[in-house]
Structure formats: structure tokens, C-alpha cells
Amino acid sequence: MGLKMLCRKSSVLYACQKHATVMAVAASSFMCIDGVTSRNFMNIKHFSSYNGNPLHSKLPIVHHKDYVCYLPPNHRFPMQKFTKVLNFLLKDGVITANQVSEPDLPSKETVTCVHSKTYIDKFFDGGTDTKEQRVTGFKWSEGLVRRCRLETGGTILAADIALSRGLACSTAGGTHHAFPDYGSGFCLLNDLAVAAKQMILQKKAQKVLIIDLDVHQGDGTAFIFQNDPCVFTLSVHNGKNFPLTKQQSDLDVSLEDKIEDKEYLRVVKDHVPWVLDTFRPDLVLYDAGVDPHIDDDLGRLSLTDQGLFARDFWVLDYITSKGYPCAAVIGGGYSRNLDALASRHTILHRAATKVWQERRL
């Protein structure tokens, strides 16, 4: 039994497909996993250090120097942006080095919670063929595998930290086009899906909400969790953009081209509160892609830097004001001007820092 709604409001067409079990989550008796109690990070007073690095009283940041790997010159994917994001944050005094924690490499067993063993064995061990690599946009290398594993580990660590501290941000993540059996669109491992599933399997959360505001639909994430009542997927994306064939998220909000700051934020405000109030997650994973920006090479929307900041600040402030822990990743963003792109990605961390300070987390 399911419920399907098709609505048109202004320039927004959205479709909502919900499972009957998901519709019942507002009831306090709803349990996805027996024995897991609901969390409220506002009641947690203490936090232990990760990798020997105390995060003190500032916003936790997750980064690893090997978030980057070698790519051929003029490759379409802006690999060096991850290093530049951290450097800009440090240079501008947004963060200090002692706020940064490094993730570990997740094992094959960890990532096969959402990916097939056959695919992971092939990807980890260099068994993908030329056609499979072409779909991902990358030629296989050991460095690529290490980078993707660390990026996924970073999102897992950010989620784990957020459950204790309320808010945490990675300087990478958001590889939402990866499916159980294959990679696609510069995404090899679905870090958001792995992190969500691991928090549930480790009984650190009953229910996880994934808010995906990348300009491209989180099709891999939607497919992975299409029959999982413990994870709710919300995707706000440009309807005419990649992927050509969309999957069915629990809630899809499909935007027309050229939407600007005010209209975009209104759409986000129209949907996020309802999802939070209905699903009542124990953890929120937020994909803060900057490709809705007007200057993005692969976007079709018209947000400004100020619009992205307003979006990220409102989303993070609203989530934390309701007592939900949130782990944020940077998502997609594409530009030949790597400095401009990396600076754009730091908008997330700047907004999160402001929320952290104002909410006194």
C-alpha cells in the first residue's frame, strides 16, 4: 500500500512516493530496529576525541589529504577542489587545524551494506572494464579507490560525530549517483547511503533523513532506499538536468531552469519542515551541492553566493533548532576556475560555523 501525489505549484512539480510504514513514522511507537532509543543531541553534554584529536567547542570538520588523487590534465572533474576547500577555510580563519579529524578507510564489509559484493570486489581490486569506467567518468586507479573510500569514511565519521555533537561537516562527500552494482556520474561509492545504513546497522540511529540539494537528483540514493522505511530521501533538483532517467525518491522536488535565490529558498522552506515533522529522524545527512549556482558549468539554476549561504544557513539552523543532529557534505560543483569553486564550497562551512556559534552547540 502506498500513497502517490503529483502537485504543481508555481514552477515546481513534485512527486511524493511514500511507503505505508513511512507514513506512520509520526507515531511515537514507530521502531525500525528493536532496542534503539531515539536521540536528542541537545541532551548530550560530553564528546570524546576522534583519532586523538579533541574538537573542543568548535564546529567539527572532517578532512583527509587523500580526498584527492591524480587525474589526467583537463579532466572534467575538479579533483583539486577538496584541498582548496580546507586551505581557504584555514586561510580565512573560519576554522583552525585542531577542529579537523581524519577518517579511516572503510572496509569492503562496511560499504557492502548498500553495494553488492561483486561490484565492490571489482572496484576495489581493479576489475571494472573500460565501459564501466566510462560511465563513472574515471579511469580506474589505486589512488581513485583510496580517495573514494576515504570520502565515504569521512561522511561516516561526520555522521558519527554529529550524533554526539549536533553538527559536523566534511570537506567532501555527496556521491549520490552511485548505485548498488555500479558507479555513475563521477560517483563510485555512495557515501551518503553507506553512512546512513551504517548508523542504523550500528544501532546509533533508527531513522535517517537525507536532504539532497545538489542540482542533480540523488538517483543512486533514491534507488538504494526505495524499499527501506528507515531512510527518507528528499531531493530538490533541476528536472531537466542529469540524470536523464530519474529514480523515485520519497520526495522529489523538480525545479525549472533559472530559478533564483528567493524562489529556491521558498521551495526548500515549503518542504523541509514537513519532512522533519513527519519522519522525525534521529540523524539528518545534508548534501549541500553548490551546482545550483548561476556560474556552475553543469547547473541550470541561478543562485548566487548569497543565495547558497541563505539556503545552507536556513537548513542547518532549522534542523538544529528542532534538536536533530546533522552531518553535512559539500556535494557537486563544477567550474574551470578552481579557486572560485572551492570558495563557493566553503559557504557550507561558513554557514555551519554561524549556526554553531548562534546555537551554542
Side-chain angles (χ1 to χ4, degrees), residues 10-67:
S10 183
S11 57
V12 181
L13 172 66
Y14 68 90
C16 179
Q17 176 71 52
K18 297 177 65 63
H19 310 294
T21 47
V22 176
M23 292 302 293
V25 298
S28 60
S29 60
F30 180 86
M31 293 288 287
C32 285
I33 298 178
D34 292 338
V36 183
T37 57
S38 181
R39 286 176 177 266
N40 184 328
F41 72 81
M42 298 179 74
N43 294 324
I44 297 175
K45 303 298 184 183
H46 304 288
F47 172 68
S48 58
S49 63
Y50 285 80
N51 295 338
N53 176 24
L55 298 178
H56 306 299
S57 60
K58 296 182 179 180
L59 173 72
I61 301 293
V62 178
H63 177 82
H64 198 286
K65 64 181 180 60
D66 290 338
Y67 276 173

Side-chain angles (χ1 to χ4, degrees), residues 81 173-177 187 192 211-218 234-238 241-243 253 255 264 286-292 296 298 301 311 330-334 345:
K81 71 179 182 178
T175 49
H176 57 178
H177 298 309
C187 301
L192 293 165
I211 298 177
D212 191 337
L213 300 189
D214 192 282
V215 80
H216 307 105
Q217 191 210 33
L234 164 62
S235 181
V236 180
H237 52 267
N238 175 253
N241 216 318
F242 179 89
V253 183
L255 304 173
Y264 183 95
Y286 173 45
D287 183 341
V290 299
D291 37 15
D296 191 87
L298 300 183
L301 304 186
R311 177 198 71 175
I330 69 170
Y334 302 90
H345 276 300

Side-chain angles (χ1 to χ4, degrees), residues 177-330:
H177 298 309
F179 282 73
D181 299 323
Y182 61 92
S184 175
F186 300 137
C187 301
L188 285 304
L189 300 174
N190 195 313
D191 66 302
L192 293 165
V194 172
K197 194 67 174 180
Q198 281 299 318
M199 294 304 104
I200 293 170
L201 290 174
Q202 295 174 29
K203 297 191 175 183
K204 295 178 179 179
Q206 296 177 57
K207 298 176 292 179
V208 179
L209 166 62
I210 299 175
I211 298 177
D212 191 337
L213 300 189
D214 192 282
V215 80
H216 307 105
Q217 191 210 33
D219 55 337
T221 315
F223 181 87
I224 288 168
F225 294 119
Q226 60 183 332
N227 296 313
D228 191 336
C230 297
V231 179
F232 191 104
T233 54
L234 164 62
S235 181
V236 180
H237 52 267
N238 175 253
K240 298 178 182 178
N241 216 318
F242 179 89
L244 180 62
T245 301
K246 305 293 192 291
Q247 299 297 320
Q248 180 65 64
S249 307
D250 290 305
L251 178 57
D252 284 303
V253 183
S254 180
L255 304 173
E256 299 293 339
D257 289 1
K258 305 298 183 183
I259 282 182
E260 298 180 351
D261 294 346
K262 290 183 178 180
E263 173 72 357
Y264 183 95
L265 186 58
R266 183 191 65 78
V267 171
V268 172
K269 289 182 177 181
D270 280 349
H271 295 86
V272 169
W274 178 84
V275 173
L276 279 172
D277 290 345
T278 303
F279 189 61
R280 297 184 183 179
D282 299 297
L283 171 68
V284 179
L285 300 180
Y286 173 45
D287 183 341
V290 299
D291 37 15
H293 195 275
I294 189 171
D295 292 330
D296 191 87
D297 290 348
L298 300 183
R300 301 170 67 112
L301 304 186
S302 298
L303 272 65
T304 64
D305 287 356
Q306 294 76 18
L308 287 174
F309 183 88
R311 177 198 71 175
D312 291 346
F313 179 81
W314 184 85
V315 169
L316 296 175
D317 187 62
Y318 188 85
I319 292 169
T320 54
S321 74
K322 298 298 182 180
Y324 298 110
C326 180
V329 299
I330 69 170

Side-chain angles (χ1 to χ4, degrees), residues 71-234:
L71 290 179
N74 301 315
H75 193 281
R76 189 71 193 81
F77 187 79
M79 183 65 73
Q80 297 303 319
K81 71 179 182 178
F82 303 109
T83 300
K84 288 178 175 289
V85 167
L86 182 73
N87 290 343
F88 275 129
L89 291 171
L90 292 170
K91 178 176 176 289
D92 294 348
V94 179
I95 66 169
T96 58
N98 66 2
Q99 293 174 239
V100 182
S101 289
E102 288 190 350
D104 295 324
L105 282 168
S107 66
K108 285 184 177 181
E109 290 73 23
T110 296
V111 297
T112 52
C113 66
V114 299
H115 292 289
S116 71
K117 185 179 184 301
T118 299
Y119 170 62
I120 293 304
D121 284 343
K122 288 202 306 182
F123 175 56
F124 276 39
D125 301 334
T128 54
D129 60 33
T130 301
K131 181 179 179 181
E132 290 170 320
Q133 293 177 39
R134 188 180 303 115
V135 173
T136 70
F138 295 119
K139 184 177 180 180
W140 186 91
S141 70
E142 291 183 358
L144 179 66
V145 176
R146 177 174 173 81
R147 189 209 90 76
C148 294
R149 290 175 66 188
L150 285 168
E151 183 174 43
T152 300
T155 304
I156 295 171
L157 179 57
D160 206 14
I161 294 174
L163 284 167
S164 294
R165 301 212 61 197
L167 182 61
C169 295
S170 180
T171 57
T175 49
H176 57 178
H177 298 309
F179 282 73
D181 299 323
Y182 61 92
S184 175
F186 300 137
C187 301
L188 285 304
L189 300 174
N190 195 313
D191 66 302
L192 293 165
V194 172
K197 194 67 174 180
Q198 281 299 318
M199 294 304 104
I200 293 170
L201 290 174
Q202 295 174 29
K203 297 191 175 183
K204 295 178 179 179
Q206 296 177 57
K207 298 176 292 179
V208 179
L209 166 62
I210 299 175
I211 298 177
D212 191 337
L213 300 189
D214 192 282
V215 80
H216 307 105
Q217 191 210 33
D219 55 337
T221 315
F223 181 87
I224 288 168
F225 294 119
Q226 60 183 332
N227 296 313
D228 191 336
C230 297
V231 179
F232 191 104
T233 54
L234 164 62

